[in-house]
């Protein structure tokens, strides 16, 4: 092959590259030019039959052409890829100014209880708590005994427990009567320092205007070497301020009794902030974790201490959003849910305002 032929070949290949309108076309051109049986490798094979001098010159010429063709293909490829991306972006363009399409996303509502759970999780996450969970069907041991409520303890009566039938070993499972067994599960599985919240369903055999057999609590547990009652009160105060979105909340701690905390207190908040001046509202129980409970979970009570509290989530939702009848929460009445529920897009954040 002469050098004129080589020039003609290059012109031909370059024209093919320029004409390739898609990445697939270009790939076909590349295989035809540079592939194993392509035009350039074909030329290379003819080198063997040439005289040494001629081989050297022609070889160099072919290599130069090969390099230019390779570059041309790369350049064309970049252009075609860019065009393909532009075309794809043009078809996938989303008009973000359009309203949400009618359908499940705009029809559906987040239940106030779920919304409040998300709000509380957001507040506690900001304070460095993580979320722990436990099952609704709990052992008698975790729901009571390890929480320093032995069998025959009078406070078991207060709980109106739903019991399952005993198994062959005589053990009964229960529907958990509070979220406190999550304290036990956490301490058995985790070494201090511990800082968790545990929202969830709880069950008590009780039903009237302010009680339903299933309701919701949020538990908190903090264990380390120095946490004391002052931290507990501060945390609760900060939580209430953030939750009710007010600058000040008056709180009252009424001395109380729980077998799993010592000392124990009930938490009241002044209802002024929510439009009921002069009234106190009870939102939950709290205290310093009882040394026996720490011991039951293999934590040394001479070294570690901390607090726990449990609050009624439904109560908190009623207070914040002015809902009066607890039973309506669980009637699955679509009109109620449409009115009191939250949009799927209203995700609570501290920065954006919890209930914007
Ligand atoms: N578990 C208690 C209840 O349901 C509340 C509580 C939790 C009290 C943690 C003290 C500490 O009434």
């Amino acid at each position: 092959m002469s050098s004129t032929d080589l020039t003609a070949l290059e012109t031909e290949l370059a024209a093919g590259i320029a004409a390739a309108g898609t990445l697939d076309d270009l790939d076909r051109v590349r295989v035809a030019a540079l592939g194993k049986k392509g035009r350039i490798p074909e030329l290379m094979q003819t080198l063997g039959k040439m005289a040494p001098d001629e081989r050297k010159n022609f070889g160099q010429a072919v290599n130069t052409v090969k390099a230019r063709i390779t570059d041309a293909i790369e350049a064309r490829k970049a252009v075609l890829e860019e065009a393909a991306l532009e075309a794809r972006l043009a078809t996938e363009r989303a008009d973000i100014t359009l309203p949400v399409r009618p359908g499940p996303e705009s029809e559906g509502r987040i239940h106030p209880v779920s919304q409040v759970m998300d709000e509380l999780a957001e507040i506690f996450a900001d304070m460095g708590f993580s979320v722990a969970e436990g099952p609704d069907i709990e052992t008698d041991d975790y729901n009571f005994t390890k929480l320093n409520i032995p069998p025959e303890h009078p406070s078991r009566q207060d709980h109106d427990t739903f019991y399952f039938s005993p198994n062959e070993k005589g053990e009964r499972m229960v529907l958990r009567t509070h979220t406190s067994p999550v304290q036990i599960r956490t301490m058995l599985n985790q070494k201090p320092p511990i800082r968790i919240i545990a929202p969830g369903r709880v069950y008590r055999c009780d039903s009237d205007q302010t009680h339903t057999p299933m309701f919701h609590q949020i538990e908190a547990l903090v264990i380390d070497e120095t946490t004391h009652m002052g931290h507990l009160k501060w945390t609760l105060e900060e939580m209430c301020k953030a939750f009710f979105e007010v600058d000040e909340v008056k709180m009252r701690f009424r001395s109380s009794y729980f077998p799993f905390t010592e000392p124990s207190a009930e938490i009241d908040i002044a209802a002024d902030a929510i439009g009921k001046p002069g009234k106190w509202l009870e939102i939950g129980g709290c205290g310093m974790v009882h040394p026996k409970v720490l011991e039951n979970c293999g934590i040394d009570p001479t070294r570690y201490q901390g607090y726990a509290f449990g609050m009624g989530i439904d109560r908190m939702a009623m207070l914040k959003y002015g809902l009066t009848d607890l039973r309506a929460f669980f009637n699955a009445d679509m009109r109620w849910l449409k009115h009191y529920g939250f949009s799927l897009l209203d995700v609570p954040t501290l920065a954006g305002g919890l209930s914007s």
Side-chain angles (χ1 to χ4, degrees), residues 148-199:
N148 198 31
I149 316 175
E152 313 314 326
H153 191 285
S155 94
R156 286 201 179 206
Q157 259 87 68
D158 301 341
H159 281 227
D160 303 307
T161 313
F162 286 110
Y163 285 99
F164 286 82
S165 320
N167 64 13
E168 33 328 320
K169 285 187 236 152
E171 298 157 347
R172 292 177 306 182
M173 300 293 277
V174 303
L175 282 176
R176 65 178 178 188
T177 57
H178 49 180
T179 40
S180 299
V182 185
Q183 287 187 38
I184 302 298
R185 290 179 173 273
T186 306
M187 288 190 278
L188 288 172
N189 287 313
Q190 223 173 294
K191 286 198 170 57
I194 292 171
R195 198 186 286 158
I196 58 110
I197 54 161

Coordinates of all heavy atoms in Angstrom, one line a residue, residues 148-199:
N148 N -38.0 -4.7 88.7 CA -38.2 -4.6 90.1 C -39.7 -4.7 90.5 O -40.1 -4.1 91.5 CB -37.5 -3.4 90.7 CG -37.3 -3.5 92.2 OD1 -37.1 -4.6 92.7 ND2 -37.3 -2.3 92.9
I149 N -40.4 -5.3 89.6 CA -41.9 -5.6 90.0 C -42.0 -7.1 90.1 O -42.4 -7.8 89.1 CB -42.8 -5.0 88.9 CG1 -42.4 -3.6 88.5 CG2 -44.3 -5.0 89.5 CD1 -43.3 -3.1 87.4
P150 N -41.7 -7.7 91.2 CA -41.7 -9.2 91.3 C -43.2 -9.7 91.2 O -44.1 -8.9 91.4 CB -41.1 -9.5 92.7 CG -41.2 -8.2 93.4 CD -41.2 -7.1 92.5
P151 N -43.4 -11.0 91.0 CA -44.8 -11.5 91.0 C -45.4 -11.2 92.3 O -44.7 -11.1 93.3 CB -44.5 -13.1 90.9 CG -43.2 -13.2 90.3 CD -42.4 -12.0 90.7
E152 N -46.6 -11.0 92.4 CA -47.4 -10.6 93.6 C -47.1 -9.2 94.0 O -47.7 -8.8 95.0 CB -47.0 -11.6 94.8 CG -47.0 -13.1 94.6 CD -48.2 -13.5 93.8 OE1 -49.3 -13.0 94.0 OE2 -48.1 -14.5 93.0
H153 N -46.3 -8.4 93.3 CA -46.1 -7.0 93.7 C -47.4 -6.3 93.4 O -48.0 -6.4 92.4 CB -45.0 -6.4 92.9 CG -44.5 -5.1 93.4 ND1 -45.3 -4.0 93.1 CD2 -43.4 -4.7 94.0 CE1 -44.6 -2.9 93.7 NE2 -43.5 -3.3 94.2
P154 N -47.9 -5.5 94.4 CA -49.2 -4.8 94.2 C -49.3 -4.0 93.0 O -50.4 -3.8 92.4 CB -49.3 -4.0 95.5 CG -48.0 -4.0 96.2 CD -47.3 -5.2 95.7
S155 N -48.2 -3.4 92.5 CA -48.3 -2.5 91.4 C -48.6 -3.2 90.1 O -49.0 -2.6 89.1 CB -47.0 -1.6 91.2 OG -46.1 -2.2 90.3
R156 N -48.5 -4.5 90.1 CA -48.9 -5.3 88.9 C -50.4 -5.1 88.6 O -50.9 -5.1 87.5 CB -48.7 -6.8 89.1 CG -47.2 -7.1 88.9 CD -47.0 -8.6 88.6 NE -45.6 -8.8 88.4 CZ -45.1 -9.8 87.7 NH1 -45.9 -10.6 87.1 NH2 -43.8 -10.0 87.6
Q157 N -51.2 -4.9 89.7 CA -52.6 -4.7 89.6 C -52.9 -3.4 88.9 O -53.9 -3.3 88.2 CB -53.3 -4.7 91.0 CG -53.9 -6.0 91.3 CD -52.9 -6.9 92.0 OE1 -52.5 -6.7 93.1 NE2 -52.6 -8.0 91.3
D158 N -52.1 -2.4 89.1 CA -52.4 -1.1 88.5 C -52.3 -1.2 86.9 O -52.8 -0.3 86.3 CB -51.3 0.0 88.9 CG -51.3 0.1 90.4 OD1 -52.3 -0.3 91.0 OD2 -50.3 0.6 90.9
H159 N -51.7 -2.2 86.5 CA -51.4 -2.2 85.0 C -52.5 -2.8 84.2 O -52.4 -2.8 82.9 CB -50.0 -2.9 84.8 CG -48.9 -2.0 85.0 ND1 -47.8 -1.8 84.2 CD2 -48.6 -1.1 86.1 CE1 -47.0 -0.9 84.7 NE2 -47.4 -0.5 85.8
D160 N -53.5 -3.5 84.8 CA -54.6 -4.1 84.0 C -54.0 -4.8 82.8 O -54.4 -4.5 81.6 CB -55.5 -3.0 83.5 CG -56.1 -2.2 84.7 OD1 -56.6 -2.8 85.6 OD2 -56.0 -1.0 84.6
T161 N -53.2 -5.8 83.0 CA -52.4 -6.4 82.0 C -53.2 -7.4 81.1 O -54.1 -8.1 81.7 CB -51.2 -7.2 82.6 OG1 -50.6 -6.4 83.6 CG2 -50.3 -7.7 81.6
F162 N -53.0 -7.4 79.8 CA -53.5 -8.5 79.0 C -52.5 -9.6 79.0 O -51.3 -9.4 78.5 CB -53.6 -8.0 77.5 CG -54.7 -7.0 77.2 CD1 -54.4 -5.7 77.0 CD2 -56.0 -7.4 77.2 CE1 -55.5 -4.8 76.7 CE2 -57.1 -6.5 76.9 CZ -56.8 -5.2 76.7
Y163 N -52.9 -10.7 79.5 CA -52.0 -11.9 79.6 C -52.3 -12.9 78.5 O -53.4 -13.1 78.1 CB -52.1 -12.6 80.9 CG -51.5 -11.9 82.1 CD1 -52.3 -11.1 82.9 CD2 -50.1 -12.0 82.3 CE1 -51.7 -10.5 84.0 CE2 -49.5 -11.4 83.4 CZ -50.3 -10.6 84.2 OH -49.7 -9.9 85.3
F164 N -51.3 -13.6 77.9 CA -51.5 -14.7 77.0 C -51.6 -16.0 77.9 O -51.2 -15.9 79.1 CB -50.3 -14.8 76.1 CG -50.3 -13.8 75.0 CD1 -49.8 -12.5 75.3 CD2 -50.9 -14.1 73.7 CE1 -49.9 -11.5 74.3 CE2 -50.9 -13.1 72.8 CZ -50.4 -11.8 73.0
S165 N -52.1 -17.1 77.3 CA -52.1 -18.3 78.1 C -50.7 -18.8 78.4 O -49.8 -18.6 77.6 CB -52.8 -19.4 77.3 OG -53.9 -18.9 76.6
P166 N -50.5 -19.4 79.5 CA -49.1 -19.8 79.9 C -48.7 -21.0 79.0 O -49.5 -21.7 78.4 CB -49.3 -20.4 81.3 CG -50.7 -20.3 81.7 CD -51.5 -19.7 80.6
N167 N -47.3 -21.0 78.7 CA -46.8 -22.1 77.9 C -46.6 -23.3 78.8 O -46.9 -23.3 80.0 CB -45.5 -21.7 77.2 CG -44.4 -21.3 78.2 OD1 -44.5 -21.6 79.4 ND2 -43.3 -20.7 77.7
E168 N -45.9 -24.4 78.2 CA -45.8 -25.6 79.0 C -44.9 -25.4 80.3 O -45.1 -26.1 81.2 CB -45.3 -26.8 78.2 CG -44.3 -26.9 77.0 CD -44.3 -25.7 76.0 OE1 -45.3 -25.1 75.7 OE2 -43.1 -25.4 75.7
K169 N -44.0 -24.4 80.2 CA -43.2 -24.2 81.4 C -44.0 -23.2 82.4 O -43.4 -22.8 83.4 CB -41.9 -23.5 81.0 CG -40.9 -24.5 80.4 CD -39.6 -23.8 80.2 CE -39.1 -23.8 78.7 NZ -38.3 -22.8 78.3
G170 N -45.2 -22.9 82.1 CA -46.0 -22.1 83.0 C -45.7 -20.6 82.8 O -46.2 -19.7 83.6
E171 N -44.8 -20.2 81.8 CA -44.5 -18.8 81.6 C -45.6 -18.1 80.8 O -46.1 -18.7 79.8 CB -43.2 -18.6 80.9 CG -42.0 -19.2 81.6 CD -40.8 -19.5 80.7 OE1 -41.0 -19.5 79.5 OE2 -39.8 -19.7 81.2
R172 N -46.0 -16.9 81.2 CA -47.0 -16.1 80.4 C -46.3 -15.0 79.7 O -45.6 -14.2 80.3 CB -48.0 -15.6 81.4 CG -48.9 -16.6 82.0 CD -49.9 -16.0 83.0 NE -49.2 -15.1 84.0 CZ -49.8 -14.5 85.0 NH1 -51.1 -14.6 85.1 NH2 -49.1 -13.8 85.8
M173 N -46.7 -14.8 78.4 CA -46.3 -13.6 77.7 C -47.4 -12.6 78.0 O -48.5 -12.9 78.4 CB -46.2 -13.8 76.2 CG -45.2 -14.9 75.8 SD -43.5 -14.4 76.1 CE -43.1 -13.3 74.7
V174 N -47.0 -11.3 77.9 CA -48.0 -10.2 78.1 C -47.9 -9.2 76.9 O -47.0 -9.2 76.2 CB -47.7 -9.4 79.4 CG1 -47.7 -10.4 80.6 CG2 -46.4 -8.6 79.3
L175 N -49.0 -8.5 76.7 CA -48.9 -7.3 75.8 C -48.3 -6.3 76.7 O -48.8 -6.0 77.8 CB -50.3 -6.9 75.4 CG -50.9 -7.7 74.2 CD1 -52.4 -7.2 73.9 CD2 -50.1 -7.7 73.0
R176 N -47.2 -5.7 76.3 CA -46.4 -4.8 77.2 C -47.3 -3.7 77.7 O -48.1 -3.1 76.9 CB -45.2 -4.3 76.5 CG -45.4 -3.4 75.4 CD -44.1 -2.8 74.8 NE -44.3 -2.0 73.7 CZ -43.4 -1.5 72.9 NH1 -42.1 -1.8 73.2 NH2 -43.7 -0.7 71.9
T177 N -47.3 -3.4 79.0 CA -48.2 -2.4 79.6 C -47.5 -1.0 79.6 O -48.1 -0.1 80.0 CB -48.5 -2.8 81.0 OG1 -47.2 -2.9 81.8 CG2 -49.2 -4.1 81.1
H178 N -46.2 -1.0 79.3 CA -45.5 0.3 79.2 C -44.3 0.1 78.3 O -44.0 -1.1 77.9 CB -45.1 0.8 80.5 CG -44.4 -0.2 81.5 ND1 -44.0 0.1 82.7 CD2 -44.1 -1.5 81.3 CE1 -43.5 -0.9 83.3 NE2 -43.5 -1.9 82.4
T179 N -43.6 1.1 77.9 CA -42.4 1.0 77.1 C -41.1 0.7 77.9 O -40.0 0.5 77.4 CB -42.1 2.2 76.2 OG1 -42.4 3.4 77.0 CG2 -43.0 2.2 75.0
S180 N -41.3 0.6 79.3 CA -40.1 0.4 80.2 C -39.3 -0.9 79.9 O -38.1 -0.9 80.1 CB -40.6 0.5 81.6 OG -41.1 1.8 81.9
P181 N -40.0 -2.0 79.4 CA -39.2 -3.1 79.1 C -38.1 -2.9 78.1 O -37.1 -3.6 78.0 CB -40.2 -4.2 78.6 CG -41.5 -3.5 78.4 CD -41.4 -2.3 79.3
V182 N -38.2 -1.8 77.3 CA -37.2 -1.5 76.3 C -35.9 -1.0 77.1 O -34.8 -1.2 76.6 CB -37.6 -0.5 75.3 CG1 -36.5 -0.2 74.2 CG2 -38.9 -0.9 74.6
Q183 N -36.1 -0.4 78.3 CA -35.0 -0.1 79.1 C -34.2 -1.4 79.4 O -32.9 -1.4 79.3 CB -35.4 0.4 80.5 CG -36.0 1.8 80.6 CD -36.3 2.2 82.0 OE1 -35.5 1.8 82.9 NE2 -37.4 2.9 82.3
I184 N -34.9 -2.4 79.8 CA -34.2 -3.7 80.2 C -33.5 -4.3 78.9 O -32.3 -4.6 79.0 CB -35.3 -4.7 80.6 CG1 -36.0 -4.2 81.9 CG2 -34.6 -6.1 80.9 CD1 -35.2 -3.9 83.1
R185 N -34.2 -4.3 77.8 CA -33.6 -4.9 76.6 C -32.3 -4.1 76.2 O -31.3 -4.6 75.8 CB -34.6 -4.8 75.4 CG -35.7 -5.8 75.6 CD -36.7 -5.7 74.5 NE -37.6 -6.8 74.6 CZ -37.5 -8.0 74.1 NH1 -36.4 -8.3 73.4 NH2 -38.3 -9.0 74.3
T186 N -32.4 -2.8 76.4 CA -31.2 -1.9 76.0 C -30.1 -2.2 76.9 O -28.9 -2.4 76.5 CB -31.6 -0.4 76.0 OG1 -32.8 -0.2 75.2 CG2 -30.5 0.4 75.5
M187 N -30.3 -2.2 78.2 CA -29.2 -2.4 79.2 C -28.6 -3.8 79.1 O -27.4 -4.0 79.4 CB -29.7 -2.1 80.6 CG -29.9 -0.6 80.8 SD -30.2 -0.1 82.5 CE -32.0 -0.5 82.7
L188 N -29.4 -4.8 78.7 CA -28.9 -6.1 78.6 C -28.0 -6.2 77.3 O -27.1 -7.1 77.3 CB -30.0 -7.2 78.5 CG -30.8 -7.5 79.8 CD1 -32.0 -8.4 79.5 CD2 -29.9 -8.1 80.8
N189 N -28.2 -5.4 76.4 CA -27.5 -5.5 75.1 C -26.4 -4.4 74.9 O -25.7 -4.5 73.9 CB -28.5 -5.4 73.9 CG -29.3 -6.6 73.8 OD1 -28.8 -7.7 73.9 ND2 -30.6 -6.5 73.7
Q190 N -26.3 -3.4 75.7 CA -25.5 -2.3 75.5 C -24.8 -1.9 76.7 O -25.4 -2.0 77.8 CB -26.4 -1.1 75.0 CG -26.0 -0.3 73.9 CD -27.1 0.7 73.5 OE1 -28.1 0.3 73.0 NE2 -26.8 1.9 73.7
K191 N -23.5 -1.5 76.6 CA -22.8 -1.0 77.8 C -23.0 0.5 78.0 O -23.1 1.2 77.0 CB -21.3 -1.3 77.7 CG -21.0 -2.8 77.9 CD -19.5 -3.0 78.1 CE -19.2 -4.4 78.5 NZ -19.6 -5.4 77.6
P192 N -23.0 1.0 79.2 CA -23.1 2.5 79.3 C -21.8 3.1 78.7 O -20.8 2.4 78.6 CB -23.0 2.7 80.9 CG -23.3 1.3 81.5 CD -22.9 0.3 80.5
P193 N -21.8 4.3 78.2 CA -23.0 5.3 78.3 C -24.1 4.9 77.4 O -23.9 4.5 76.3 CB -22.4 6.6 78.0 CG -21.2 6.3 77.1 CD -20.7 5.0 77.6
I194 N -25.3 5.1 77.9 CA -26.6 4.7 77.1 C -27.4 6.0 77.0 O -27.5 6.7 78.0 CB -27.4 3.6 77.8 CG1 -26.6 2.3 77.8 CG2 -28.8 3.5 77.2 CD1 -27.2 1.2 78.6
R195 N -27.9 6.2 75.9 CA -28.8 7.4 75.7 C -29.8 7.1 74.6 O -29.6 7.3 73.4 CB -28.0 8.6 75.3 CG -28.7 10.0 75.6 CD -27.9 11.1 75.1 NE -26.8 11.4 75.9 CZ -25.7 12.1 75.5 NH1 -25.7 12.5 74.2 NH2 -24.7 12.4 76.3
I196 N -31.0 6.5 75.0 CA -32.0 6.1 74.0 C -33.4 6.7 74.3 O -33.7 7.0 75.4 CB -32.1 4.6 73.9 CG1 -32.4 4.0 75.3 CG2 -30.8 3.9 73.4 CD1 -33.8 3.4 75.4
I197 N -34.2 6.7 73.2 CA -35.6 6.8 73.4 C -36.3 5.6 72.8 O -35.7 5.0 71.9 CB -36.2 8.1 72.8 CG1 -35.8 8.2 71.3 CG2 -35.8 9.3 73.6 CD1 -36.6 9.2 70.5
A198 N -37.5 5.3 73.2 CA -38.2 4.1 72.7 C -39.7 4.5 72.6 O -40.4 4.4 73.6 CB -38.0 2.9 73.5
P199 N -40.1 4.9 71.4 CA -41.5 5.2 71.2 C -42.2 3.9 70.8 O -41.6 3.0 70.2 CB -41.6 6.2 70.1 CG -40.3 6.0 69.3 CD -39.3 5.2 70.2

